[in-house]
Amino acid sequence: MMRISGKTVVTAAAVALVCAVGVGGGVAQASSPVAAGKGMPSACRPANHTAKITPAPATSGHHHYRVTLTAAPGYDPCELAGSPIDVRFYHHGVLKGVTAGHYGPQGKAVTFGPGHPVHFDIQVPNSAGGVPADEATFTLKAPGGVIPGESSANGRLTVDAGTVIGPVRPGA
C-alpha cells in the first residue's frame, strides 16, 4: 500500500488550480462582462434608468405630459424605438382603468444612455371626465423587440379614454 503525504495532496491541488485558472488572469476575470467584451449593463434595463413625468405645452384639444428617461453614468448606451407599450396609470398605488394607444412613427431608433436622455409624450384628450394619476409604468421597445422588465415614471397627470403615447425621441 502506498502512502500519500499531506504535502503531496496540497501540491497536487495547487497544480490543478493553476492549470484550471491558466496563466495571466483567472476564471473570475474572464467571466466578468467587461473582460468578455460585453461592456457595462445596458441603460435600457428598467433598473438602470430613472423617469419623470412633467406637464408639457397643450395643443388644441389635448393635454400633454413629457416622460423623460435619464441613465446614470456607468451604463452602456442602447437603442430604443417606437412608443412604450403596456402603459398603466396609477394614483396613490391604485391602478386606473385607462388603456393607452400609441401614435407617430414606430420604427425610428434613438440612442439612450448616460448624457443622452430621451423622452416620450403622453397625449390626453381634453375632457371633463379625466382621472388623476401620479405614476405610469411601461415597457420600452428596442428596434428588434421589447426590453424585458417594467419601467416607471412619477409625476402628476390626468388621463382619460383616448390617451395615446408618442414615440421615444432624443433629448430631455
Side-chain angles (χ1 to χ4, degrees):
M1 183 149 129
M2 191 164 118
R3 289 185 58 186
I4 301 175
S5 73
K7 284 183 182 179
T8 305
V9 171
V10 171
T11 302
V15 168
L17 181 61
V18 169
C19 289
V21 170
V23 177
V27 174
Q29 187 179 29
S31 65
S32 74
V34 175
K38 295 181 183 176
M40 298 304 293
S42 170
C44 286
R45 294 186 58 208
N48 301 340
H49 62 260
T50 59
K52 183 177 180 180
I53 302 168
T54 55
T59 59
S60 179
H62 296 95
H63 295 288
H64 292 268
Y65 301 91
R66 178 175 279 207
V67 179
T68 302
L69 282 70
T70 307
Y75 295 105
D76 267 353
C78 53
E79 287 192 327
L80 297 172
S83 300
I85 59 171
D86 300 328
V87 180
R88 293 179 186 87
F89 300 100
Y90 296 85
H91 189 246
H92 298 301
V94 176
L95 179 64
K96 298 298 164 183
V98 175
T99 303
H102 67 272
Y103 74 89
Q106 299 297 305
K108 184 176 180 184
V110 174
T111 299
F112 171 56
H116 299 281
V118 297
H119 71 274
F120 61 88
D121 178 55
I122 300 174
Q123 178 180 292
V124 183
N126 287 342
S127 68
V131 296
D134 55 16
E135 179 184 10
T137 62
F138 49 92
T139 300
L140 295 169
K141 295 186 328 186
V146 299
I147 308 284
E150 185 175 75
S151 296
S152 67
N154 294 86
R156 291 176 32 177
L157 71 157
T158 300
V159 293
D160 203 354
T163 297
V164 289
I165 309 300
V168 174
R169 297 180 181 192

